[in-house]
Short mmCIF file of all heavy atoms in Angstrom, two decimals:
data_model
loop_
_atom_site.label_atom_id
_atom_site.label_comp_id
_atom_site.label_asym_id
_atom_site.label_seq_id
_atom_site.Cartn_x
_atom_site.Cartn_y
_atom_site.Cartn_z
N ASP A 126 46.62 79.54 124.01
CA ASP A 126 45.22 79.20 124.08
C ASP A 126 44.62 79.61 125.43
O ASP A 126 43.41 79.72 125.56
CB ASP A 126 45.02 77.69 123.86
CG ASP A 126 45.49 77.24 122.48
OD1 ASP A 126 44.89 77.71 121.49
OD2 ASP A 126 46.46 76.48 122.42
N LEU A 127 45.51 79.82 126.41
CA LEU A 127 45.07 80.18 127.75
C LEU A 127 46.23 80.85 128.49
O LEU A 127 47.38 80.45 128.32
CB LEU A 127 44.61 78.93 128.54
CG LEU A 127 44.21 79.13 130.01
CD1 LEU A 127 42.94 79.96 130.12
CD2 LEU A 127 44.03 77.77 130.69
N ILE A 128 45.90 81.87 129.33
CA ILE A 128 46.92 82.51 130.16
C ILE A 128 46.56 82.28 131.62
O ILE A 128 45.42 82.51 132.03
CB ILE A 128 46.99 84.03 129.88
CG1 ILE A 128 47.35 84.30 128.43
CG2 ILE A 128 48.03 84.68 130.82
CD1 ILE A 128 47.27 85.78 128.05
N LEU A 129 47.52 81.83 132.40
CA LEU A 129 47.42 81.72 133.86
C LEU A 129 48.20 82.89 134.43
O LEU A 129 49.42 82.95 134.26
CB LEU A 129 47.95 80.39 134.36
CG LEU A 129 47.33 79.13 133.73
CD1 LEU A 129 48.00 77.86 134.28
CD2 LEU A 129 45.83 79.09 133.97
N LEU A 130 47.53 83.81 135.07
CA LEU A 130 48.12 85.10 135.41
C LEU A 130 48.05 85.43 136.90
O LEU A 130 46.96 85.53 137.46
CB LEU A 130 47.43 86.19 134.59
CG LEU A 130 47.91 87.63 134.74
CD1 LEU A 130 49.38 87.78 134.42
CD2 LEU A 130 47.08 88.54 133.80
N ASP A 131 49.22 85.59 137.53
CA ASP A 131 49.27 85.95 138.94
C ASP A 131 48.91 87.43 139.10
O ASP A 131 49.30 88.28 138.31
CB ASP A 131 50.70 85.70 139.46
CG ASP A 131 50.82 85.93 140.96
OD1 ASP A 131 49.80 85.96 141.65
OD2 ASP A 131 51.96 86.10 141.43
N VAL A 132 48.13 87.73 140.13
CA VAL A 132 47.73 89.11 140.40
C VAL A 132 48.90 89.93 140.96
O VAL A 132 49.18 91.04 140.52
CB VAL A 132 46.54 89.16 141.39
CG1 VAL A 132 46.23 90.59 141.79
CG2 VAL A 132 45.31 88.50 140.76
N MET A 133 49.60 89.34 141.95
CA MET A 133 50.63 90.08 142.67
C MET A 133 52.00 89.83 142.07
O MET A 133 52.62 88.80 142.29
CB MET A 133 50.62 89.65 144.15
CG MET A 133 49.27 89.77 144.82
SD MET A 133 48.72 91.48 145.00
CE MET A 133 49.82 92.02 146.30
N MET A 134 52.47 90.78 141.26
CA MET A 134 53.80 90.70 140.67
C MET A 134 54.49 92.05 140.79
O MET A 134 53.82 93.09 140.86
CB MET A 134 53.73 90.26 139.20
CG MET A 134 53.28 88.84 138.98
SD MET A 134 53.42 88.33 137.27
CE MET A 134 52.16 89.38 136.48
N PRO A 135 55.82 92.08 140.84
CA PRO A 135 56.53 93.35 140.92
C PRO A 135 56.39 94.17 139.65
O PRO A 135 56.12 93.62 138.59
CB PRO A 135 58.00 92.92 141.13
CG PRO A 135 58.08 91.52 140.57
CD PRO A 135 56.73 90.91 140.83
N ARG A 136 56.53 95.47 139.79
CA ARG A 136 56.46 96.44 138.68
C ARG A 136 55.06 96.46 138.06
O ARG A 136 54.22 97.23 138.47
CB ARG A 136 57.57 96.16 137.66
CG ARG A 136 58.96 96.37 138.22
CD ARG A 136 60.03 96.17 137.16
NE ARG A 136 60.05 94.83 136.62
CZ ARG A 136 60.67 93.82 137.22
NH1 ARG A 136 61.30 93.98 138.37
NH2 ARG A 136 60.67 92.61 136.67
N VAL A 137 54.81 95.60 137.08
CA VAL A 137 53.50 95.56 136.43
C VAL A 137 52.71 94.39 137.02
O VAL A 137 53.13 93.24 136.93
CB VAL A 137 53.66 95.37 134.90
CG1 VAL A 137 52.28 95.27 134.24
CG2 VAL A 137 54.47 96.51 134.30
N ASP A 138 51.56 94.67 137.66
CA ASP A 138 50.81 93.58 138.29
C ASP A 138 49.90 92.89 137.26
O ASP A 138 49.82 93.28 136.11
CB ASP A 138 50.03 94.07 139.50
CG ASP A 138 48.89 95.04 139.14
OD1 ASP A 138 48.54 95.14 137.96
OD2 ASP A 138 48.36 95.67 140.07
N GLY A 139 49.23 91.85 137.74
CA GLY A 139 48.40 91.05 136.84
C GLY A 139 47.23 91.81 136.26
O GLY A 139 46.83 91.58 135.10
N TRP A 140 46.65 92.73 137.03
CA TRP A 140 45.51 93.50 136.52
C TRP A 140 45.91 94.35 135.32
O TRP A 140 45.20 94.42 134.33
CB TRP A 140 44.95 94.41 137.60
CG TRP A 140 44.43 93.71 138.82
CD1 TRP A 140 44.81 93.89 140.12
CD2 TRP A 140 43.39 92.72 138.89
NE1 TRP A 140 44.10 93.08 140.97
CE2 TRP A 140 43.21 92.34 140.24
CE3 TRP A 140 42.61 92.09 137.92
CZ2 TRP A 140 42.29 91.39 140.67
CZ3 TRP A 140 41.66 91.14 138.34
CH2 TRP A 140 41.53 90.80 139.68
N GLU A 141 47.09 94.97 135.40
CA GLU A 141 47.56 95.80 134.31
C GLU A 141 47.89 94.97 133.07
O GLU A 141 47.60 95.34 131.95
CB GLU A 141 48.77 96.64 134.72
CG GLU A 141 49.22 97.62 133.63
CD GLU A 141 50.31 98.55 134.09
OE1 GLU A 141 50.53 98.70 135.31
OE2 GLU A 141 50.96 99.16 133.20
N MET A 142 48.51 93.80 133.32
CA MET A 142 48.81 92.92 132.19
C MET A 142 47.51 92.47 131.51
O MET A 142 47.42 92.40 130.29
CB MET A 142 49.63 91.72 132.61
CG MET A 142 49.90 90.78 131.44
SD MET A 142 51.03 89.45 131.76
CE MET A 142 50.80 88.50 130.20
N LEU A 143 46.51 92.13 132.33
CA LEU A 143 45.22 91.72 131.77
C LEU A 143 44.65 92.81 130.87
O LEU A 143 44.16 92.55 129.76
CB LEU A 143 44.24 91.38 132.90
CG LEU A 143 42.82 90.98 132.49
CD1 LEU A 143 42.83 89.67 131.72
CD2 LEU A 143 41.91 90.87 133.72
N GLN A 144 44.74 94.05 131.33
CA GLN A 144 44.26 95.18 130.52
C GLN A 144 45.02 95.28 129.20
O GLN A 144 44.42 95.51 128.15
CB GLN A 144 44.39 96.48 131.31
CG GLN A 144 43.86 97.68 130.57
CD GLN A 144 43.97 98.96 131.40
OE1 GLN A 144 44.13 98.92 132.61
NE2 GLN A 144 43.86 100.10 130.74
N ARG A 145 46.33 95.11 129.27
CA ARG A 145 47.14 95.20 128.05
C ARG A 145 46.82 94.07 127.08
O ARG A 145 46.81 94.27 125.86
CB ARG A 145 48.65 95.15 128.41
CG ARG A 145 49.13 96.38 129.15
CD ARG A 145 50.64 96.37 129.20
NE ARG A 145 51.18 97.32 130.16
CZ ARG A 145 52.47 97.50 130.38
NH1 ARG A 145 53.36 96.78 129.72
NH2 ARG A 145 52.89 98.39 131.27
N VAL A 146 46.58 92.88 127.62
CA VAL A 146 46.20 91.75 126.76
C VAL A 146 44.89 92.07 126.03
O VAL A 146 44.76 91.85 124.82
CB VAL A 146 46.05 90.46 127.58
CG1 VAL A 146 45.42 89.33 126.75
CG2 VAL A 146 47.42 90.00 128.13
N HIS A 147 43.92 92.63 126.76
CA HIS A 147 42.63 92.96 126.16
C HIS A 147 42.77 94.08 125.14
O HIS A 147 42.10 94.07 124.08
CB HIS A 147 41.62 93.35 127.25
CG HIS A 147 41.20 92.19 128.09
ND1 HIS A 147 40.58 92.33 129.31
CD2 HIS A 147 41.29 90.85 127.89
CE1 HIS A 147 40.30 91.14 129.81
NE2 HIS A 147 40.73 90.22 128.97
N GLU A 148 43.62 95.07 125.43
CA GLU A 148 43.79 96.17 124.50
C GLU A 148 44.39 95.68 123.17
O GLU A 148 44.04 96.19 122.10
CB GLU A 148 44.72 97.23 125.11
CG GLU A 148 44.05 98.03 126.22
CD GLU A 148 45.03 98.95 126.94
OE1 GLU A 148 46.27 98.85 126.65
OE2 GLU A 148 44.60 99.74 127.79
N LYS A 149 45.28 94.71 123.26
CA LYS A 149 45.98 94.23 122.06
C LYS A 149 45.20 93.15 121.30
O LYS A 149 45.19 93.12 120.08
CB LYS A 149 47.34 93.69 122.44
CG LYS A 149 48.20 93.32 121.26
CD LYS A 149 49.66 93.26 121.64
CE LYS A 149 50.52 93.10 120.38
NZ LYS A 149 51.95 93.14 120.66
N HIS A 150 44.54 92.25 122.06
CA HIS A 150 43.91 91.10 121.43
C HIS A 150 42.39 91.12 121.49
O HIS A 150 41.75 90.34 120.79
CB HIS A 150 44.43 89.80 122.08
CG HIS A 150 45.90 89.59 121.90
ND1 HIS A 150 46.45 89.00 120.80
CD2 HIS A 150 46.95 89.92 122.70
CE1 HIS A 150 47.77 88.93 120.92
NE2 HIS A 150 48.10 89.51 122.06
N GLY A 151 41.81 91.98 122.33
CA GLY A 151 40.38 92.01 122.49
C GLY A 151 39.94 91.22 123.72
O GLY A 151 40.55 90.21 124.06
N VAL A 152 38.90 91.71 124.38
CA VAL A 152 38.40 91.05 125.60
C VAL A 152 37.85 89.66 125.24
O VAL A 152 37.03 89.52 124.36
CB VAL A 152 37.30 91.90 126.27
CG1 VAL A 152 36.74 91.16 127.48
CG2 VAL A 152 37.82 93.26 126.66
N GLY A 153 38.38 88.66 125.94
CA GLY A 153 37.90 87.29 125.73
C GLY A 153 38.54 86.56 124.59
O GLY A 153 38.30 85.36 124.41
N ALA A 154 39.39 87.21 123.79
CA ALA A 154 40.02 86.55 122.66
C ALA A 154 40.97 85.45 123.15
O ALA A 154 41.06 84.38 122.54
CB ALA A 154 40.78 87.55 121.80
N ILE A 155 41.67 85.72 124.26
CA ILE A 155 42.53 84.72 124.89
C ILE A 155 42.00 84.54 126.32
O ILE A 155 42.04 85.48 127.11
CB ILE A 155 44.00 85.17 124.92
CG1 ILE A 155 44.53 85.44 123.51
CG2 ILE A 155 44.87 84.09 125.61
CD1 ILE A 155 45.94 86.00 123.47
N PRO A 156 41.49 83.39 126.66
CA PRO A 156 40.97 83.17 128.02
C PRO A 156 42.07 83.38 129.06
O PRO A 156 43.23 83.01 128.84
CB PRO A 156 40.49 81.73 128.01
CG PRO A 156 40.31 81.37 126.56
CD PRO A 156 41.30 82.20 125.81
N VAL A 157 41.72 83.98 130.20
CA VAL A 157 42.67 84.24 131.27
C VAL A 157 42.11 83.76 132.60
O VAL A 157 40.97 84.05 132.93
CB VAL A 157 43.00 85.75 131.36
CG1 VAL A 157 43.97 86.03 132.53
CG2 VAL A 157 43.58 86.29 130.06
N ILE A 158 42.92 83.02 133.33
CA ILE A 158 42.57 82.66 134.71
C ILE A 158 43.52 83.43 135.62
O ILE A 158 44.75 83.28 135.53
CB ILE A 158 42.72 81.15 134.97
CG1 ILE A 158 41.72 80.35 134.09
CG2 ILE A 158 42.49 80.83 136.43
CD1 ILE A 158 41.87 78.84 134.22
N MET A 159 42.97 84.26 136.48
CA MET A 159 43.75 85.03 137.46
C MET A 159 43.90 84.20 138.72
O MET A 159 42.97 83.44 139.09
CB MET A 159 43.08 86.36 137.80
CG MET A 159 42.71 87.22 136.59
SD MET A 159 44.11 88.00 135.79
CE MET A 159 44.64 89.13 137.07
#
Side-chain angles (χ1 to χ4, degrees):
D126 298 297
L127 176 68
I128 299 173
L129 305 178
L130 181 57
D131 185 18
V132 173
M133 306 293 288
M134 291 188 293
R136 295 183 298 277
V137 178
D138 68 13
W140 299 123
E141 185 173 344
M142 178 173 171
L143 178 65
Q144 181 178 344
R145 292 192 194 180
V146 170
H147 290 163
E148 288 173 353
K149 186 161 189 175
H150 297 275
V152 177
I155 302 175
V157 178
I158 296 176
M159 307 287 293

